[in-house]
Amino acid sequence: AIPRTLMASSSRPLPLGGQEAALGIIQPQFMNKTIAQISSAPCDSNTITATLATNVPIHAGTNFTITGLTQSQTNSTSSLPVTTSCFHSTGVWDEDSGELVVQANTSWPRHGGTWNCIVSFTLDNPAKALQGVVPEVTATPASPRTSRRRCSTS
């Protein structure tokens, strides 16, 4: 018999980051997360566009939550229209928390080393002058991950 011995691990880098070492997994993160508006006029209907890119594939069913869009005069709704090719056509808007939740309807396309999507939606601007807000974004898989979760092969 040959006794148990440690194997050598590769330290060569992979295209997405990390190394070739067995089961070495990179930390998912946003590579781009910008947000902009088209109007700063009080009470105006304002189209807001978020540009997102991640370092890992995004699959259908992943929920994205943009928070911190406070002071809008848009009423809460479970069907705020969004314009995009990679999310469902409506999102859930909560006026009190300034939160929009949208769900990926397809796997995102890969461009270079990132997976990208642009989404636009319209909110009603506040009636008085305010400094701009600094929103945050999070992504959560539709089904909670467990330590024994199996990845989809589709």
Side-chain angles (χ1 to χ4, degrees):
I2 300 174
R4 180 173 36 189
T5 186
L6 293 176
M7 299 176 75
S9 283
S10 174
S11 60
R12 288 191 309 202
L14 292 170
L16 295 180
Q19 299 174 346
E20 285 184 345
L23 295 178
I25 307 300
I26 60 172
Q27 175 65 43
Q29 62 185 330
F30 286 102
M31 305 307 287
N32 182 13
K33 51 194 180 307
T34 58
I35 194 161
Q37 66 179 8
I38 63 165
S39 173
S40 58
C43 300
D44 206 4
S45 199
N46 189 2
T47 299
I48 297 172
T49 300
T51 303
L52 304 170
T54 64
N55 66 334
V56 294
I58 296 298
H59 300 290
T62 301
N63 290 313
F64 285 77
T65 304
I66 300 173
T67 58
L69 296 169
T70 55
Q71 307 296 324
S72 167
Q73 294 189 81
T74 302
N75 293 327
S76 296
T77 179
S78 61
S79 58
L80 184 78
V82 298
T83 303
T84 182
S85 62
C86 45
F87 290 112
H88 291 288
S89 61
T90 61
V92 177
W93 167 250
D94 184 275
E95 178 183 9
D96 293 332
S97 64
E99 178 178 282
L100 175 66
V101 179
V102 290
Q103 188 177 71
N105 64 354
T106 186
S107 293
W108 287 15
R110 183 175 181 187
H111 299 284
T114 60
W115 285 262
N116 305 273
C117 185
I118 298 172
V119 60
S120 296
F121 51 95
T122 301
L123 299 177
D124 295 330
N125 279 345
K128 61 181 180 179
L130 294 169
Q131 283 205 297
V133 297
V134 181
E136 295 179 343
V137 63
T138 59
T140 309
S143 58
R145 294 180 184 253
T146 65
S147 61
R148 300 295 299 163
R149 181 183 178 275
R150 303 263 180 223
C151 299
S152 169
T153 57
S154 59

